[in-house]
Amino acid sequence: MSYRPPWWLRNGHLQSIYPSLMRKVDEPHFRRERVVTPDDDFLDIDWAQQGCGRCVILSHGLEGHSRRPYMLGMARAALDQQWDVVSWNFRSCSGEPNRQLASYHSGETQDLAYVVELALRRGYSEVALIGFSIGGNKTLLYLGRERDVVPVPVKAAVVFSVPCDLTSSSAQLAKPVNALYMKNFLRSFREKLGQKAEMYPGQISMQGFDQIRTFQEFDSRYTAPMNGFNSAEEYWAKSSSKPYIKAIRVPTLLVSAKDDPFLTPACFPVNEAEQNPHVFLEAPDYGGHVGFMSVGENGRYWSEHRAMSFLAQQCGAAQFNPDAAAVAVEP
């Protein structure tokens, strides 16, 4: 099942920007629950339940949240294919700052593990994971680095647009052509850090923040020291999922577009996938970053169709309805 967009969608920046700004998806009937984590923080989780014995856990991207269009689109697709949906927000991403000094970072997997365990305690006998961008990086780290503690009911995973080599991806986003993306990330970081500076007087300085232009500068000053790393370089090296892909033992589909403006060739784990029969790498020529738009009748994107098809293959094709997952979007 390859991705072949019409000619006017063969632009990585268009695919990356247009869905985020213009796509409209009817929100499923979510029930939001705030759960307390073992370190006395909290996570806000959206549940869409229809009595299925299995669930999909959705992990969003950097500075995203559970109500972003790509999350809602995937949630809709999963519900149509008889999955319940658990769409969780990283710390500080649900509209309210978390309690602890540190919030989340690309290499932290304890919260994902907690959400998986919560789903199992709620009675689900089968769990699938779907992650986008750094949510995909977290998913791969969880399945590979933490493979010995991944519960047996976790049956499959699908990840899209993963910067699995954070060092090269950070350098890629520092290029002038990607200045708009960095500006948006830094605007969001600034707002959240300002809130944390008020919560933790004297522990976070906002002085000189407006001179930051790259992840190297931001991660060196904030992410690394706030999360126990000695430098941005150490943070990237220890938080990149690429070295752990060889250890994954759960069937996992990784889809990244070659025209993704966030990624470099190092972010495509070709050798790792070839050496691991559980990992399937697909690298279509087009799709941008978490894009994969399609044109059709019912608002579905190709990525949603691909994810549901893979889960049907791994977790039971009898419940997969191709008509319900037909790809489409209004331009």
Side-chain angles (χ1 to χ4, degrees):
M1 182 188 299
S2 60
Y3 178 55
R4 298 185 180 91
W7 65 267
W8 54 275
L9 288 178
R10 296 179 182 182
N11 180 287
H13 293 290
L14 174 64
Q15 288 264 8
S16 303
I17 296 171
Y18 182 92
S20 179
L21 297 178
M22 304 302 294
R23 188 184 186 191
K24 306 299 181 185
V25 182
D26 290 335
E27 190 172 298
H29 179 66
F30 281 128
R31 174 180 61 84
R32 174 156 293 189
E33 178 183 11
R34 176 163 294 183
V35 298
V36 177
T37 59
D39 62 344
D40 194 33
D41 211 327
F42 68 87
L43 298 174
D44 285 333
I45 303 174
D46 290 338
W47 301 79
Q49 297 173 294
Q50 52 189 5
C52 301
R54 59 184 191 172
C55 70
V56 167
I57 296 176
L58 303 181
S59 301
H60 60 76
L62 185 66
E63 290 303 278
H65 52 77
S66 62
R67 308 296 174 93
R68 292 296 295 271
Y70 60 86
M71 294 282 281
L72 296 177
M74 192 63 74
R76 279 286 181 193
L79 289 166
D80 286 346
Q81 300 305 321
Q82 301 304 303
W83 291 88
D84 283 3
V85 173
V86 183
S87 187
W88 70 291
N89 295 275
F90 304 162
R91 301 188 189 202
S92 81
C93 290
S94 60
E96 181 179 336
N98 64 301
R99 298 170 187 161
Q100 302 295 335
L101 176 64
S103 56
Y104 74 96
H105 64 81
S106 299
E108 187 276 322
T109 59
Q110 290 183 342
D111 286 346
L112 175 56
Y114 181 80
V115 174
V116 170
E117 292 166 2
L118 179 63
L120 296 178
R121 292 200 303 270
R122 297 290 172 88
Y124 289 106
S125 59
E126 193 171 34
V127 173
L129 308 177
I130 299 180
F132 303 89
S133 194
I134 71 158
N137 190 71
K138 288 174 175 284
T139 300
L140 295 176
L141 281 173
Y142 172 67
L143 295 174
R145 189 178 65 191
E146 320 299 337
R147 56 170 290 189
D148 292 336
V149 297
V150 174
V152 172
V154 177
K155 299 298 185 182
V158 184
V159 294
F160 294 95
S161 307
V162 182
C164 56
D165 183 275
L166 293 171
T167 300
S168 66
S169 180
S170 297
Q172 177 73 7
L173 281 160
K175 294 181 178 180
V177 70
N178 289 323
L180 176 63
Y181 304 113
M182 280 304 310
K183 183 177 180 180
N184 287 333
F185 285 137
L186 288 167
R187 182 187 299 117
S188 183
F189 293 154
R190 192 186 201 290
E191 179 180 353
K192 291 180 179 180
L193 280 171
Q195 294 173 331
K196 282 295 182 73
E198 294 180 359
M199 294 170 62
Y200 290 90
Q203 297 190 54
I204 298 176
S205 173
M206 300 302 294
Q207 185 176 358
F209 184 94
D210 292 338
Q211 278 66 58
I212 293 176
R213 295 291 183 271
T214 67
F215 276 118
Q216 203 286 328
E217 296 167 342
F218 178 83
D219 289 340
S220 293
R221 180 170 176 181
Y222 294 106
T223 311
M226 290 174 67
N227 291 282
F229 300 101
N230 293 318
S231 64
E233 290 74 17
E234 181 187 28
Y235 160 57
W236 297 335
K238 292 185 175 180
S239 300
S240 294
S241 60
K242 189 176 182 180
Y244 300 98
I245 289 175
K246 62 180 179 292
I248 293 174
R249 293 297 177 266
V250 172
T252 300
L253 173 66
L254 193 166
V255 182
S256 292
K258 293 178 182 177
D259 68 350
D260 188 327
F262 290 28
L263 306 184
T264 69
C267 293
F268 293 80
V270 176
N271 293 333
E272 290 80 359
E274 288 178 347
Q275 296 170 15
N276 187 338
H278 303 285
V279 177
F280 306 88
L281 173 65
E282 296 180 2
D285 291 333
Y286 308 104
H289 191 73
V290 193
F292 304 104
M293 299 163 59
S294 301
V295 178
E297 297 177 355
N298 71 347
R300 286 287 151 72
Y301 276 22
W302 176 88
S303 51
E304 292 147 18
H305 184 60
R306 185 68 191 97
M308 293 303 107
S309 177
F310 183 79
L311 294 188
Q313 182 183 23
Q314 302 300 327
C315 304
Q319 299 188 52
F320 177 60
N321 179 357
D323 293 332
V327 291
V329 63
E330 292 298 327

